[in-house]
Amino acid sequence: MNILVTGGCGFIGSNFIHYLFETRDDVNIINLDKLTYAGNRKNLTDIEKKHAGERYIFVHGDINDPELVAGILNVHEIDRVVNFAAESHVDRSINDPSPFITTNINGTQTLLEAARQRGVARFLQVSTDEVYGSLGPDGRFSETTPLAPNSPYSASKASADLLARAYFKTYGIPIIITRCSNNYGPYQFPEKLIPLLFSNASSDQAIPVYGDGLNVRDWIYVRDHCKGVAMALENGIPGQVYNFGGNAEMANIDIVKTILGQLGKPESLIHFVADRPGHDKRYAMDFSLATKELGWTPDHDFATGIKETIEWYSKNKKWLKEVQSGEYRTFMRNWYQDRK
Ligand code: NAD
Ligand code: TYD
């Protein structure tokens, strides 16, 4: 099976490539990644050493480059595409929506069009629970919940989902869309809550908590998400959407206190800051369809997953330091300055 994975140098994409090589013998992977601030080739150093030039090829480029994408699909005889490539951080989308539109919407359409011309066997669009908007205190999102995105990020992801749906309905391209809740685990860029929390707490810096800290997310260990994407790619029904969740709903403040406790750091590091504009209150996933049709359930509870994650970050402080570039520091400084 020749698979084009886009955004494979990011957090979930690199975990997915590791997961596939660990669990499947029949895959060859082309990884197309633009290497934005969030992409890091070193996330796959071991894969490059073991498989480069044979079962793994890295291509540095943009999903929004039609000639490049068409060339890859034809030269490497790609039969499956998994699109992880995206601008992925809500706060950055509030700061500047433009790259979100360019990559998440136009880039997805470029991939879809190339897949249509080539006639691929499967196109899997990796999406998010954030396209459904925000929940009140009760209920969960199902695949039929209407899309109601609230941030430029989630609006761009919802747009991509709708384009993918249209390519299925209009052209019969075998599209599958997966929507997952908040991931955590190795290689997550430290702008997101859990790695930011680890990074700041380890160096005794304040932990910014937005608003009252009572916003709720459902947390899933990244490997469980990768397992779901692999199963949907292999056995998903074209045209179908599959939700994945971790069965681990937690308020942000409880996550912060739990991790501070595990690191032996004081709660005095918690610093409440101005709320994120348009901040979704609560996400929760009904993933019974994925269980029924794919046989998927998450393997990690939050306690196990977070233990493994903290161990990974503790052993990889060099990685953490390296990804905190000048651009990262400037963004973080400006963003949090405005929230004081
Ligand atoms: P990430 O920001 O860590 O990685 C994104 C990757 O895409 C990077 O390697 C980056 O270099 C690459 N990229 C960006 N623009 C590109 C372009 N134009 N062409 C080629 N490559 C490009 O993101 P992530 O957290 O790994 O998320 C991956 C996907 O999963 C995204 O589509 C995101 O919407 C979705 N998702 C993420 C979560 C989460 O909790 N992180 C949850 C559900 C769904
Ligand atoms: P984040 O990791 O950015 O994921 P998402 O916005 O996609 O859910 O944020 C998770 C939650 O943590 C979200 O409710 C916002 C909150 N948050 C903070 O309170 N402080 C922070 O510094 C960050 C990055 C997030």
Side-chain angles (χ1 to χ4, degrees):
M1 202 186 298
N2 298 332
I3 308 178
L4 171 63
V5 175
T6 69
C9 293
F11 163 46
I12 308 174
S14 61
N15 276 285
F16 180 70
I17 291 174
H18 279 114
Y19 179 81
L20 275 193
F21 278 122
E22 281 165 31
T23 58
R24 308 288 193 275
D25 294 325
D26 61 341
V27 294
N28 302 310
I29 296 176
I30 312 297
N31 172 13
L32 170 62
D33 197 298
K34 189 176 167 185
L35 297 179
T36 67
Y37 76 93
N40 184 355
R41 220 173 145 174
K42 287 189 184 165
N43 295 356
L44 292 162
T45 304
D46 51 341
I47 300 291
E48 296 217 10
K49 275 195 191 136
K50 207 166 167 198
H51 299 294
E54 291 170 15
R55 294 181 58 204
Y56 175 77
I57 293 171
F58 172 68
V59 179
H60 184 192
D62 195 326
I63 58 165
N64 210 10
D65 178 339
E67 283 173 19
L68 175 67
V69 172
I72 291 171
L73 293 192
N74 291 327
V75 169
H76 297 287
E77 299 182 350
I78 297 294
D79 41 39
R80 277 155 217 253
V81 178
V82 184
N83 183 26
F84 287 99
E87 290 293 335
S88 68
H89 190 36
V90 173
D91 294 340
R92 284 181 186 256
S93 81
I94 293 168
N95 213 30
D96 178 11
S98 307
F100 289 75
I101 309 306
T102 308
T103 286
N104 300 1
I105 305 178
N106 298 339
T108 301
Q109 195 268 333
T110 301
L111 287 173
L112 286 165
E113 188 53 31
R116 176 165 90 95
Q117 299 298 338
R118 161 103 194 140
V120 296
R122 280 278 196 291
F123 185 112
L124 192 143
Q125 173 65 10
V126 179
S127 187
T128 163
D129 57 358
E130 304 193 24
V131 298
Y132 297 121
S134 185
L135 287 167
D138 305 313
R140 290 181 294 170
F141 298 128
S142 79
E143 289 82 356
T144 54
T145 302
L147 303 190
N150 293 316
S151 72
Y153 163 67
S154 53
S156 69
K157 294 296 294 184
S159 306
D161 287 12
L162 294 179
L163 281 168
R165 176 190 154 89
Y167 268 71
F168 169 72
K169 291 276 182 187
T170 308
Y171 306 115
I173 310 298
I175 308 272
I176 289 156
I177 297 172
T178 59
R179 297 188 179 132
C180 190
S181 57
N182 283 58
N183 287 222
Y184 65 95
Y187 302 109
Q188 187 167 31
F189 194 78
E191 62 191 355
K192 308 281 176 14
L193 180 65
I194 288 181
L196 175 75
L197 177 48
F198 177 88
S199 175
N200 284 17
S202 306
S203 50
D204 297 308
Q205 291 177 58
I207 314 292
V209 174
Y210 299 167
D212 57 10
L214 296 178
N215 298 66
V216 171
R217 298 289 182 265
D218 169 56
W219 294 92
I220 181 170
Y221 191 58
V222 62
R223 199 176 166 86
D224 287 333
H225 182 192
C226 294
K227 182 180 82 164
V229 170
M231 290 170 106
L233 185 67
E234 287 161 353
N235 299 317
I237 297 169
Q240 189 61 273
V241 176
Y242 294 102
N243 281 355
F244 299 129
N247 263 341
E249 273 187 63
M250 286 176 82
N252 294 336
I253 190 67
D254 295 332
I255 298 254
V256 173
K257 287 182 179 171
T258 302
I259 295 180
L260 284 176
Q262 295 199 4
L263 294 173
K265 296 288 181 178
E267 290 186 7
S268 55
L269 285 177
I270 296 172
H271 187 60
F272 288 95
V273 299
D275 208 354
R276 171 190 276 173
H279 197 176
D280 288 333
K281 190 67 187 176
R282 177 173 163 260
Y283 303 144
M285 289 298 247
D286 172 354
F287 55 81
S288 52
L289 185 71
T291 304
K292 188 169 151 240
E293 284 191 2
L294 305 174
W296 179 89
T297 49
D299 296 325
H300 298 78
D301 61 17
F302 187 75
T304 320
I306 205 67
K307 188 168 170 282
E308 287 183 19
T309 304
I310 290 177
E311 274 169 18
W312 188 87
Y313 279 96
S314 303
K315 279 192 205 138
N316 289 278
K317 287 198 172 132
K318 193 166 162 255
W319 178 93
L320 200 53
K321 215 168 170 190
E322 273 176 17
V323 299
Q324 290 172 331
S325 64
E327 188 276 344
Y328 166 83
R329 284 197 296 273
T330 307
F331 173 78
M332 298 302 265
R333 198 173 41 244
N334 293 341
W335 174 258
Y336 289 103
Q337 204 135 33
D338 291 347
R339 324 229 79 68
K340 270 184 186 155

